[in-house]
Every structure is written in structure tokens, then in C-alpha cells.
Amino acid sequence: MPDESDILGQEQPDDPFAARLVKVAAMRASGDEPYKARYDRTHLAAGLHAEHKDLPAGEGSGVSASVAGRIMAKRDQGKIAFLVLRDGSGEIQLFLRSDALGEARFRETVDRIDVGDWVGAEGEVVRTRRGELSVVPADVVLLSKSLRPLPEKFHGLTDVETRYRQRYVDLIANPEVRQTFEKRFAIISAIRRFMESQGFLEVETPMLHPIPGGAAARPFVTHHNALDMDLYLRIAPELYLKRLLVGGFERVFEINRSFRNEGISVRHNPEFTMLEAYEAFTDLQGMMRLAEGIVVAAAEAACGTLQIEYQGVQLDLTPPWPRRTLVELASEAAGEEVSFARSVEDLRRLCDRHGVPFEPSWGKGKLITELFEKLAEHAIIGPMFVTDYPLETSPLARKKPGAPELTERFEVIVVGREIANAFSELIDPIDQRERFEAQARAKAGGDEEAMGYDEDYLRALEYGMPPAGGLGVGIDRLAMLLTDSPSIRDVILFPHMRPEA
RNA sequence: GGGCCGUUAGCUCAGUUGGCAGAGCAGGGGACUUUUAAUCCCAAGGUCGCAGGUUCGAGACCUGCACGGCCCA
């Protein structure tokens, strides 16, 4: 990579980077700082288009405006030049004229400015003969010199690896990427407003956990030097939020990152964003209404409608969503009854017959859950509440009355994917202790995703937790759904990547 | 973890049966006073992902590795 000293002797280097360094050096030599401190603008591009929408082609407005942004295109025609300036609101053309700037200054300005530079300009707002609203600058200021050429203007940046690694270039080259993220943040903002409108208080709980809990997942481990102890990046905020119910907060939620030390795929990033909400004195029915309300608020904010299309599939998000039990759906997909009435050996044979791999340590509940996930879940268009998850895989959910092997739990499935998960919360400290003991046995048996035994959480339950419903929503997956994005990496600004080759 | 595919100029892509590395855009020089992917002329631009192998000769064929994508687990 050349630096300024390398190119001082060269007048017109061919290399774009070097050519731009020459311009930087020339500006500095003439006392014009190429990286300025500020620029006071009067207008945004979109504001000018709105204010002057009735200005006829070929006429001047008689009013002056100053704008600032990045130069996206340059069309030099000798005595005039057109620059396309993009700011945060949109684009506005700069119509540089030698008769407005003076011939020498016009030439110097046009030669000095490259596509990619940040520029401020002030002058009369006009509409050209061809109908393009433009600013005819009496003054053009180079605010920040870009040294690297932007991707080709017509095709943009398409290499997905570069798009994810250099999101800043992706955002410059591909305007729809910006729209996707604007939608993502509109979704999150709408969900916050909805939760607050329902009387929920947004809280912050620890991300560094002494005992990983609240989900079945392998954690990231880190180390606190002063305390000389290992800590875990949280896999879920659940157990802390429920401690707050014990403390007397009746409606709380948190929207923030959790971390899971697992594979990366189109649906998994090591750090991801979840909403978790807990409401005292309600149950699974209340969580169904809450889940529907959240998705409706998010869809209206992002899409303005509940009729959406995801990857070619038409979806109607209008509540109420249908409810089916997990065992029912697994049985339909397997073509025979999948139930706790069958023996473990029988369920294993069923797995074999359908090509579903299993571990010898799995009980009926895990086998049935696996059959559902492998045979039925992917085919559900939804949105659908899948209910009655087995107790074996739901260590924090209340038992279903009259069905001791099942829990009062649902997942919301849309286009074959889990986007939300909820229970009537397990508030019985004696039952919870037994569940933790079962998890501890599974962990001892080699299950690295089994939940840790959290004695302080049990102590909290022993003080008494009110009846409650709890809900988790995968914000990244919801954003994928509402922005029609095929990969989670499309809705995470800086997705995790291996180091560059 | 397995299978398949990809990696060529800053970007987007060609590259035939193994025979001198190509185009457009961007960048450089020139022309142009209403352009919209401006247009026209000229010149320049390469560690063909990396390392081996086969061959008189490899961007292409073989092996390994790296990174990425898709599918499966």
C-alpha cells in the first residue's frame, strides 16, 4: 500500500489509492485540510425534494440551500459537471457550473472530488431541463477524502463474504441493506412501545452469569481476573427476570443479547437478540395474547400489513393463531401415534424408521420432541402455537394438570422456525429442585446443554414467586421474517465470521 | 462433522480440448455547457485464494489447506 511519501514524485498515478493520496497532499500543500471538523448544512436531500416538488424543469427557485453527504456519481462534461450527493435522507444532484464557480475554481473542484468523498455544498436550488432537482453550488467544500474506490455502481457489492465483513461498504453500495436494518430497528422500537403500553417495565439483568441457566445450550466461558473465577456469557436472562417477579415487579421485559457457543448457520449467530417478558398472575393463555400482540406490532411497524410474504410463501399473521399439540403434529407427520403410551424401545424404533438419530440417554420426552422437530416442524407454515411440550425438555415450565409428562408450554412456529417460546412458569420450589436434579444427572451423563443447578434461584422461589407466564421472542428471526431475509446474517449488522483468509 | 459449489484487476464477471490473462465499471490522459449506469478517443491496471503434484507447457487436471455459499447432521 503506497503512502504519501511514496507518491510525492508522481504527478498522476494510475493506482486509485495513490491518485487520491496525491490529491490529499495537494490540498494540504495549499492549506486546505482534507479532513474537516464540521459543516453546517441547512437542508437534507429529502427535504429539498419535498419543498421544491412543484418547481418546473429548467427553472431556478431563487432560494439557496446547503447540503452535505457522500458523492455517489460524477459526470464531468468539461464546463459543467453533475455530482450525485447522498445524505441520510436520500440523494440530491449537485449541478456544478463554471460560470457559477469561476472557470479555474470549477476545474480544481471537479478534479479534486472523487466518487466516495464527503462533500458540503451551498447554492441555489434549481430543476434542470431534464427535470432533476439540483443545487447549483456557489461553494463546494471537500469534508473528508475517500481513498478507496467504491464498488461498481451498477451491480453494487454482491460478494456475500465482503458484504458481511465490510458492512460499511455494503451499506454504501446496497441501499436495500440500509432499509432492512431500518426495519429491524423499527421492529424493536415498536415492540418496546407495545410492551410499555401493556404496563411492562424494561429492565437490565446480568450478562455475566456465575451459573449458566434459562436454556439448553453450551455457554461461552470467560474469566474474572480480580475474583479469579470463571463466568459465563448468558445463554438466557430467564432466571434473573423471574427473580424480579419474586421481588415484586409484576410485568418486566428485557430486549438484549444472549450468547450460545454453538454452530453458525442461516438461523444461528453466536450472539443474538431476544425479548423475554414475564407477567405475574397470568398463564399460557396470557402469553399467547402477548405473543400475538408483539408480532402484530412488529409487522405493522415493518410492513404496514399482516399479510406478508417470506421467501415466496404467503403468510397471514392475523390473530388468533391456530393451536395444535406437539404429540398430535408428530403423530400426523409420522403416520402413526407418537405418544407417551409407547415404550422407549418403541419410540427408538420409530426414530430409526424415520431416520431420526437419537442418543441412548434420551427418555420418551426427548425422543418425542426430536420426532416432532425432525418430521413435523419444518412443514408448519403458521403462525401456529405448538403446545404441550414434554417435561423432559422443559425444566422451567409448569406441569400440565392431568398429564405429568407434559408442560404448559408453547412455541410459535412460522415457516418451520421457532420464533417464540413460552410457559406457564414453574413456581413450585420443590418441583423446580427436582427438575434441576434431573438436569444435573443429564449433565453428569455427558449432556453439555443441560442446565446448571442454580441454588440461589431455588432460594428465590422458596421466598415465593407469584403465578406467572413467561415469553421469549427471537428478535433476529422475527426480523428475518418481516424483512424477507433468508439468513440471520442479513439482519445482524456485523455477523460473526472466521478470521479473513 | 459430511456432501456439493465458489475464490481471476478496486468492483461485477468471461476465460473453449491444457498452449502469450480478457471485458465493463472504477482509476489515469484527452474532448464535451443539461447529465441520470452520460457519451467518445487513448493508455494503463493481475501473487488467477494458498501450498504441493502431473505435464514440454496449468487460471484450467490431481492432492492438501484457507475462506465463503448451499444442503445435510
Side-chain angles (χ1 to χ4, degrees), chain A residues 315-374:
Chain A
L315 294 165
D316 182 0
L317 303 176
T318 307
W321 303 332
R323 306 169 185 193
R324 302 287 305 279
T325 71
L326 180 142
V327 161
E328 230 169 63
L329 291 161
S331 300
E332 275 178 21
E336 60 185 291
E337 194 194 350
V338 176
S339 80
F340 284 92
R342 305 183 69 162
S343 68
V344 170
E345 293 71 28
D346 212 9
L347 289 168
R348 287 177 181 163
R349 278 194 292 275
L350 194 55
C351 285
D352 280 334
R353 233 176 299 146
H354 290 280
V356 176
F358 57 85
E359 301 285 336
S361 60
W362 292 359
K364 291 183 190 180
K366 178 70 173 161
L367 288 166
I368 289 171
T369 303
E370 205 66 14
L371 281 164
F372 163 74
E373 287 182 357
K374 293 292 185 295

Side-chain angles (χ1 to χ4, degrees), chain A residues 1-46:
Chain A
M1 183 121 340
D3 63 27
E4 281 182 52
S5 61
D6 289 332
I7 47 77
L8 285 181
Q10 291 178 260
E11 284 301 312
Q12 304 293 348
D14 281 344
D15 173 58
F17 197 99
R20 292 179 180 206
L21 280 179
V22 168
K23 294 178 187 181
V24 167
M27 287 180 71
R28 289 204 163 121
S30 68
D32 186 7
E33 167 57 40
Y35 298 99
K36 295 195 175 55
R38 66 178 288 163
Y39 185 81
D40 295 317
R41 63 181 168 186
T42 60
H43 287 76
L44 292 170

Side-chain angles (χ1 to χ4, degrees), chain A residues 87-257:
Chain A
D87 64 22
S89 72
E91 292 184 345
I92 183 76
Q93 180 169 265
L94 303 183
F95 180 6
L96 274 62
R97 307 174 56 109
S98 65
D99 53 12
L101 281 166
E103 202 154 324
R105 201 148 145 255
F106 169 84
R107 196 70 256 158
E108 184 193 66
T109 302
V110 172
D111 286 344
R112 185 166 283 177
I113 293 172
D114 293 300
V115 171
D117 291 352
W118 289 91
V119 157
E122 183 272 320
E124 188 191 0
V125 180
V126 306
R127 194 176 294 281
T128 63
R129 285 178 215 163
R130 295 290 177 89
E132 188 70 37
L133 192 73
S134 307
V135 171
V136 179
D139 189 38
V140 180
V141 183
L142 207 172
L143 303 175
S144 180
K145 186 74 194 164
S146 170
L147 299 178
R148 294 178 183 267
L150 290 179
E152 195 245 355
K153 60 191 164 195
F154 188 55
H155 299 92
L157 179 67
T158 64
D159 180 77
V160 290
E161 185 172 349
T162 310
R163 289 186 46 218
Y164 296 147
R165 287 193 197 280
Q166 298 176 238
R167 184 70 86 183
Y168 39 91
V169 181
D170 190 26
L171 285 163
I172 297 166
N174 300 315
E176 69 281 7
V177 174
R178 181 194 179 95
Q179 288 166 19
T180 294
F181 286 103
E182 283 172 349
K183 277 190 184 178
R184 178 191 170 111
F185 301 124
I187 288 165
I188 292 170
S189 173
I191 291 175
R192 277 209 165 88
R193 286 196 303 275
F194 174 76
M195 295 303 289
E196 285 167 0
S197 78
Q198 301 298 302
F200 284 82
L201 180 71
E202 182 168 11
V203 299
E204 296 171 280
T205 65
M207 297 219 180
L208 293 174
H209 288 187
I211 301 165
R218 295 180 63 178
F220 287 93
V221 188
T222 185
H223 191 79
H224 191 293
N225 291 335
L227 298 180
D228 189 23
M229 67 180 289
D230 282 345
L231 289 168
Y232 303 88
L233 300 189
R234 72 177 181 193
I235 55 176
E238 173 156 356
L239 299 183
Y240 286 93
L241 290 168
K242 291 202 283 204
R243 283 173 170 95
L244 295 179
L245 294 190
V246 171
F249 285 110
E250 294 182 1
R251 295 182 182 197
V252 294
F253 76 103
E254 183 163 9
I255 298 179
N256 218 315
R257 226 65 61 79

Side-chain angles (χ1 to χ4, degrees), chain A residues 354-411:
Chain A
H354 290 280
V356 176
F358 57 85
E359 301 285 336
S361 60
W362 292 359
K364 291 183 190 180
K366 178 70 173 161
L367 288 166
I368 289 171
T369 303
E370 205 66 14
L371 281 164
F372 163 74
E373 287 182 357
K374 293 292 185 295
L375 301 182
E377 189 175 59
H378 64 89
I380 296 170
I381 301 298
M384 178 189 285
F385 290 112
V386 177
T387 65
D388 297 7
Y389 278 67
L391 180 131
E392 184 181 348
T393 52
S394 312
L396 301 169
R398 173 184 290 268
K399 283 176 185 163
K400 189 177 170 73
E405 289 151 318
L406 299 176
T407 57
E408 287 204 14
R409 171 179 175 186
F410 70 72
E411 290 195 357

Side-chain angles (χ1 to χ4, degrees), chain A residues 421-439:
Chain A
N421 178 26
F423 338 125
S424 294
E425 297 299 338
L426 172 55
I427 61 171
D428 174 347
I430 297 154
D431 188 352
Q432 184 66 73
R433 186 175 292 278
E434 289 166 7
R435 307 282 189 97
F436 275 154
E437 282 164 2
Q439 289 292 305

